[in-house]
Amino acid sequence: MKNILKCILIFSSVFLSPIVAGAADLTSTASVNVTSDTASNAKIMAFNEARRQITTDVLSNYTDKEKFNELIKNTDDSKLTNLISSTNIDGERLSSTTYSANIKMTLDTVEAKKWLSENNIPNWLGNNEALVVDRATVVIDIPDGLRDWIDLNHAIQTEKLDIEIKRIFGDQVTVTVLMTDRSKIIAVVRILGWKYSENNGFLRIWK
């Protein structure tokens, strides 16, 4: 019974929860238009420009921005090439001296984290430590399984609460919620007729 409930909750958490914890988003797109003495050189310059722009756009969200900006300013284009795991090109146009395109790139998490760490740039790639600081832990008892979970999820979605599922064990689900949304989730469960209590900083809710 518990295994069945676990499968049901995992399924419903994927399709019903507003936000589920996941990996860092390391994909971005740059629109480039470069002119040089030849189309070949223009294309090389355009890719260097796109790679630098995308790396900045992406990694500045996961680092100390001031230190990161100093690092990338002093990093050769060849080094940034090693950080890219995939590239897609759309709307490519070229003439004898000009190259333009929309270039989509995804950074390699391992290589990016290694590069930042080697240069002593504080970062939180590959973990959620930066988010946990401002989040409260909520333990939810769901003895009736899917029906109660759907009702609770619907109310959470309506309020646009940021919920991250951390653990599912038996008929109990542990999630985190932004500290600023803590009072909102209490209001939600009260409207639904659920009960709640606070113990050692944890919020527990049950029906």
Side-chain angles (χ1 to χ4, degrees), residues 140-194:
I140 309 170
D141 291 321
I142 310 179
D144 292 333
L146 185 57
R147 186 191 312 170
D148 285 345
W149 183 246
I150 289 175
D151 290 343
L152 182 59
N153 254 283
H154 178 71
I156 287 171
Q157 286 183 315
T158 300
E159 292 297 321
K160 295 181 172 60
L161 300 181
D162 176 0
I163 295 293
E164 292 186 356
I165 296 175
K166 295 297 184 181
R167 183 171 180 262
I168 298 173
F169 184 76
D171 58 3
Q172 192 174 81
V173 183
T174 301
V175 305
T176 64
V177 61
L178 291 173
M179 289 297 293
T180 53
D181 287 343
R182 197 168 179 275
S183 60
K184 292 181 182 179
I185 197 169
I186 291 175
V188 165
V189 299
R190 291 181 66 179
I191 291 172
L192 291 175
W194 290 42

Side-chain angles (χ1 to χ4, degrees), residues 13 18 70 97 108 125 145 196:
S13 70
E70 185 65 25
T97 58
D108 183 286
L125 287 174
Y196 72 93

Side-chain angles (χ1 to χ4, degrees), residues 4-201:
I4 294 175
L5 176 60
K6 183 174 180 179
C7 292
I8 291 174
L9 290 177
I10 290 174
F11 175 86
S12 60
S13 70
V14 171
F15 289 97
L16 299 176
S17 292
I19 295 181
V20 178
D25 182 5
L26 302 186
T27 299
S28 188
T29 301
S31 296
V32 293
N33 189 325
V34 177
T35 299
S36 185
D37 56 336
T38 66
S40 177
N41 285 338
K43 184 172 182 178
I44 292 172
M45 293 169 63
F47 268 77
N48 287 339
E49 179 182 316
R51 198 176 296 114
R52 187 170 294 273
Q53 179 184 323
I54 289 171
T55 300
T56 300
D57 290 346
V58 169
L59 294 185
S60 62
N61 294 320
Y62 301 96
T63 62
D64 180 309
K65 291 187 178 181
E66 185 176 345
K67 292 183 178 180
F68 174 78
N69 288 338
E70 185 65 25
L71 170 62
I72 197 164
K73 184 174 67 176
N74 295 297
T75 299
D76 294 335
D77 291 328
S78 59
K79 178 62 178 179
L80 298 181
T81 302
N82 298 329
L83 304 181
I84 306 302
S85 64
S86 67
T87 301
N88 290 294
I89 306 169
D90 183 51
E92 187 177 48
R93 295 182 180 180
L94 52 87
S95 67
S96 58
T97 58
T98 302
Y99 179 88
S100 65
N102 296 317
I103 302 175
K104 182 179 181 180
M105 294 181 177
T106 299
L107 275 65
D108 183 286
T109 304
V110 174
E111 289 299 322
K113 188 172 181 66
K114 179 182 176 183
W115 176 57
L116 293 170
S117 298
E118 287 175 347
N119 288 279
N120 300 313
I121 305 297
N123 69 87
W124 47 92
L125 287 174
N127 63 65
N128 293 319
E129 293 175 4
L131 301 177
V132 173
V133 174
D134 296 317
R135 301 184 74 87
T137 298
V138 183
V139 178
I140 309 170
D141 291 321
I142 310 179
D144 292 333
L146 185 57
R147 186 191 312 170
D148 285 345
W149 183 246
I150 289 175
D151 290 343
L152 182 59
N153 254 283
H154 178 71
I156 287 171
Q157 286 183 315
T158 300
E159 292 297 321
K160 295 181 172 60
L161 300 181
D162 176 0
I163 295 293
E164 292 186 356
I165 296 175
K166 295 297 184 181
R167 183 171 180 262
I168 298 173
F169 184 76
D171 58 3
Q172 192 174 81
V173 183
T174 301
V175 305
T176 64
V177 61
L178 291 173
M179 289 297 293
T180 53
D181 287 343
R182 197 168 179 275
S183 60
K184 292 181 182 179
I185 197 169
I186 291 175
V188 165
V189 299
R190 291 181 66 179
I191 291 172
L192 291 175
W194 290 42
K195 301 178 179 63
Y196 72 93
S197 66
E198 300 181 65
N199 185 22
N200 296 324

